[in-house]
């Protein structure tokens, strides 16, 4: 059948002080590609973050970077001038990904698209989005460029004003794109997934991602918790899950068809109510005899981690574990949403250690730079995590519009957070108080890195 239209999908650059490929993939865009393909559109994807692009060798300014095993590693990068609002920050600023000239070459390959879909991930990465859109519009004048993703979801007016896109589509693209394509081209989508039923979605189109080395999987949308600093609930107000057998089938599919062995879970609460998802999924993976490694770069929920689950995780091939703990201060735990307690952490770590995980395998995220937070609170949390026998990892707070903490964040910050998304950048610690100085911060990072585990 002749494809109805050509759609080009673009995952733009990251512009930031620092970025690391911790199993980073444009999952939302790949889901949209899967849906378009089911409706007979021909899809092609350009991944500006492709650090394994074969042509990178010919660009001395952006050599292929060192990669680590299992699908993580550095991005190719080039130093670029900081954008004006950040010009006084004494750190070098980078474009992560392929050089723009290589992107332009990629744009010229293949047939001219009828529409271009561009995604965005962090709000404060928008300069990379703007650059990509400018080059796309130069290459294909008159072709509609459509922007979605988190920059649009959280900062729609800013995106409408500055992105250069012809259309911005907030929210789930599977809802917005069919209407837009109807008005632009008169197209009807014969296949549309039901957003209330995640099992009605086709797989994300990982097979069109150049040089795919790992596959990101999401077993749910949304989160049962309402943590004040997090936007998950705003993006997906209802917590919904897939059928665990369907998830196992997807993993088996990518393993058998494109030979991928590394999988990362993007869920916000993968371990919540484990009998509903984690346990049946792991049993099914074992029954299928899949020899894969699983990575959880996004924080896992601690409370449900029993000894049985710890053993199951180990046996199934879970290799990278990260947990969302945030703080050991009980008042702060209660004030930010009450998802976990100190006892949850110590019991969970004990179970994981019994199951054979070492302290360095058990990464525990600690939020740093919340409005009003003191250095003492962070220090005590680091020491508590270590005393449990796990590895503390500092996660600098990024304020997000529409979260419960947003107004407090705006009031606490010296930066105009509502006007300029660049100031949401977690590297700036944009909401830190005087009770957490830069000197404190450096000492806290050092303390977190020192690997002296009391229980080892
Ligand atoms: C997985 C994840 C990660 C992964 C990497 C993801 C990636 N690709 O970059 C990891 C663990 C590395 C990560 C890291 C961080 N993350 Co994160 N992450 C997520 C998470 C949980 C899921 C994203 C996802 O893929 N969802 C699944 C897909 C299917 O949904 P989607 O991408 O939103 O796409 C849908 C729509 O947006 C839309 N859409 C998307 N693209 C397009 C394009 C078009 C044209 C259209 C029409 C529609 C459209 O349709 C899609 C399908 O429905 C989100 C929270 C969430 N629940 O979304 C946070 C989130 C994006 N992260 C966030 C944060 C704060 C961070 C960190 C700063 C945390 C920290 N302090 O260290 C770091 C920063 C990383 C860095 N500096 O390198 C914030 C955003 C902050 C911001 N200011 O923008 C979020 C929202 C979480 C939160 N706190 O509320 N993250």
């Amino acid at each position: 059948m002749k494809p109805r239209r050509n759609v080009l999908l673009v995952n733009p650059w990251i512009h930031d002080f620092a970025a690391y490929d911790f199993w980073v993939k444009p999952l939302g865009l790949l889901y949209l590609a899967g849906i378009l393909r089911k409706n007979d559109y021909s899809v092609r994807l350009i991944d500006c973050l492709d650090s394994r692009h074969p042509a990178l060798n010919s660009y001395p300014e952006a050599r292929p970077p060192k990669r680590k095993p299992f699908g993580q590693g550095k991005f190719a990068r080039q130093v670029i001038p900081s954008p004006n609002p950040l010009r006084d920050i004494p750190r070098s600023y980078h474009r992560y990904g392929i050089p723009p000239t290589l992107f332009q070459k990629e744009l010229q390959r293949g047939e001219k698209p009828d529409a271009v879909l561009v995604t965005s991930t962090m709000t404060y990465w928008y300069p990379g989005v703007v650059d990509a859109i400018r080059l796309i519009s130069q290459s294909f004048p008159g072709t509609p460029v459509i922007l979605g993703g988190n920059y649009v979801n959280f900062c729609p007016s800013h995106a409408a004003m500055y992105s250069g896109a012809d259309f911005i589509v907030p929210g789930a693209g599977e809802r917005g794109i069919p209407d837009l394509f109807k008005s632009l081209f008169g197209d009807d989508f014969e296949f549309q997934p039901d957003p209330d039923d995640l099992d009605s979605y086709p797989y994300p189109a990982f097979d069109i991602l150049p040089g795919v080395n790992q596959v990101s999987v999401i077993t749910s949308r949304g989160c049962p918790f309402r943590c004040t600093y997090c936007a998950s609930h705003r993006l997906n107000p209802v917590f919904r899950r897939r059928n665990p057998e369907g998830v196992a089938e997807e993993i088996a599919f990518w393993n058998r068809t494109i030979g991928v062995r590394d999988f990362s879970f993007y869920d916000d609460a993968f371990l919540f109510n484990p009998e509903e998802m984690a346990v049946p999924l792991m049993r099914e993976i074992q029954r299928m005899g899949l020899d894969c490694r699983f990575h959880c770069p996004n924080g896992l929920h601690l409370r449900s981690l029993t000894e049985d689950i710890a053993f199951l995780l180990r046996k199934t091939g879970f290799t990278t574990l990260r947990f969302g703990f945030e703080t050991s201060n009980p008042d702060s735990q209660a004030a930010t949403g009450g998802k976990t307690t100190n006892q949850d952490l110590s019991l969970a770590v004990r179970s994981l250690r019994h199951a054979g995980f070492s302290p360095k395998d058990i990464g525990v995220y600690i939020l740093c730079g919340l409005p009003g937070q003191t250095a003492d609170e962070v220090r005590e949390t680091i020491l508590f995590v270590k005393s449990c026998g796990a590895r503390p990892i500092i996660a600098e707070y990024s304020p997000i519009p529409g979260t419960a903490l947003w107004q407090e964040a705006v009031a606490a910050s010296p930066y105009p957070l509502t006007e300029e998304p660049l100031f949401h950048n977690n590297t700036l610690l944009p909401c830190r108080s005087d009770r957490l100085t830069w000197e404190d911060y450096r000492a806290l990072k050092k303390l977190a890195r020192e690997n002296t585990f009391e229980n080892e």
Side-chain angles (χ1 to χ4, degrees):
M1 192 189 305
K2 191 176 177 318
R4 195 161 17 173
R5 284 176 212 291
N6 294 317
V7 180
L8 175 66
L9 301 111
V10 174
N11 185 31
W13 295 284
I14 294 173
H15 284 200
D16 205 337
F17 300 104
Y20 181 74
D21 182 0
F22 202 47
W23 292 281
V24 169
K25 290 284 181 260
L27 185 56
L29 199 59
L30 293 170
Y31 263 111
L32 297 184
I35 295 164
L36 287 165
R37 205 158 53 174
K38 268 210 133 199
N39 286 288
D40 298 331
Y41 290 88
S42 153
V43 290
R44 182 164 96 88
L45 186 136
I46 304 178
D47 183 9
C48 291
L49 297 182
D50 182 4
S51 291
R52 295 151 35 108
H53 193 296
L56 268 181
N57 276 316
S58 351
Y59 292 83
E61 72 276 26
R63 288 226 167 76
K66 277 208 181 105
R67 301 284 302 175
K68 284 201 171 169
F70 310 161
Q72 60 167 323
K74 290 186 177 171
F75 289 115
R77 69 171 197 187
Q78 304 127 68
V79 175
I80 54 169
S82 303
N84 250 342
L86 303 179
R87 65 174 178 267
D88 293 334
I89 309 292
R91 280 193 64 164
S92 49
Y93 197 73
H94 302 98
R95 178 196 302 110
Y96 291 89
I98 60 176
T101 44
L102 181 51
F103 178 57
Q104 281 169 308
K105 271 195 189 156
E106 285 291 332
L107 287 171
Q108 293 315 321
R109 278 202 312 122
E111 281 187 60
K112 182 177 174 296
D114 298 299
V116 185
L117 303 194
V118 181
T119 193
S120 59
T121 310
M122 304 295 151
T123 53
Y124 51 88
W125 289 347
Y126 79 83
V129 173
V130 173
D131 275 8
I133 291 177
R134 201 188 56 247
L135 295 178
I136 295 164
S137 302
Q138 277 169 14
S139 290
F140 308 120
T143 300
V145 179
I146 303 158
L147 175 65
N150 283 339
Y151 167 45
V152 170
N153 297 339
F154 298 130
C155 309
S157 336
H158 192 278
M161 191 111 72
Y162 299 108
S163 69
D166 299 301
F167 300 92
I168 64 155
V169 179
E174 58 274 31
R175 289 182 199 261
I177 287 293
D179 287 348
L180 183 61
F181 276 31
K182 175 85 185 166
S183 68
L184 284 175
F185 309 119
D187 290 359
D188 285 308
F189 275 51
E190 270 154 35
F191 169 81
Q192 284 197 45
D194 172 6
D196 295 338
D197 173 11
L198 299 185
D199 295 314
S200 69
Y201 281 64
Y203 296 158
F206 269 94
D207 50 302
I208 65 164
L209 192 64
V212 61
N213 52 344
Q214 69 94 13
V215 162
S216 304
V217 176
I218 193 150
T219 72
S220 62
R221 300 254 182 128
C223 183
F225 300 100
R226 298 287 175 265
C227 300
T228 55
Y229 46 79
C230 180
S232 175
H233 167 240
R234 219 199 126 197
L235 293 169
N236 294 285
V238 182
F239 179 54
R240 292 185 208 287
R241 289 186 131 151
R242 295 167 61 184
N243 174 340
E245 279 78 32
V247 179
E249 270 163 32
E250 183 188 343
I251 291 167
F253 175 81
W254 295 125
N255 178 247
R256 289 183 188 137
T257 56
I258 54 175
V260 164
R261 280 192 65 206
D262 288 286
F263 292 87
S264 57
F265 285 100
Y266 271 14
D267 294 70
D268 281 310
F270 175 66
L271 287 183
F272 176 75
N273 277 354
E275 296 301 326
E276 267 176 36
M277 175 57 70
V279 170
L281 172 61
M282 290 193 279
R283 294 229 164 93
E284 188 59 15
I285 290 171
Q286 288 184 20
R287 197 194 58 78
M288 288 173 152
L290 297 176
D291 180 16
C292 298
R293 288 175 294 251
F294 300 99
H295 311 282
C296 304
N298 203 26
L300 292 166
H301 182 51
L302 273 167
R303 185 167 294 168
S304 11
L305 208 139
T306 58
E307 189 125 343
D308 286 351
I309 290 173
F311 275 88
L312 259 178
L313 287 167
R314 186 87 182 151
K315 202 165 162 220
T316 313
F318 278 76
T319 309
T320 311
L321 297 180
R322 295 286 182 275
F323 293 91
F325 179 56
E326 327 308 355
T327 172
S328 63
N329 180 305
D331 293 338
S332 303
Q333 286 167 349
T336 52
K339 71 173 172 185
T340 196
T341 62
N342 294 358
Q343 201 194 8
D344 291 336
L345 179 68
S346 61
L347 290 177
V349 175
R350 202 160 67 196
S351 301
L352 290 162
R353 299 289 302 275
H354 281 172
F357 290 100
S358 77
K360 71 168 178 18
D361 296 333
I362 312 168
V364 177
Y365 286 132
I366 297 173
L367 264 175
C368 178
L370 288 165
Q373 193 181 36
T374 63
D376 275 348
E377 176 178 332
V378 182
R379 187 174 305 112
E380 276 158 27
T381 308
I382 294 171
L383 294 174
F384 178 72
V385 171
K386 285 190 177 187
S387 76
C388 291
R391 178 174 148 214
I393 300 173
I394 289 186
E396 295 81 0
Y397 168 62
S398 164
I400 311 169
T403 51
L405 210 54
W406 175 246
Q407 289 310 334
E408 212 183 309
V410 170
S413 181
Y415 301 114
L417 298 183
T418 45
E419 284 154 40
E420 180 47 80
L422 285 170
F423 295 128
H424 307 170
N425 193 322
N426 62 338
T427 301
L428 302 173
L429 291 178
C431 301
R432 72 170 180 87
S433 76
D434 293 342
R435 292 183 297 168
L436 199 162
T437 63
W438 283 109
E439 210 183 337
D440 290 330
Y441 171 71
R442 280 187 288 273
L444 293 167
K445 287 287 275 190
K446 188 162 171 278
L447 182 66
R449 265 197 306 267
E450 285 164 359
N451 283 335
T452 42
F453 298 109
E454 286 182 18
N455 292 356
E456 221 172 6

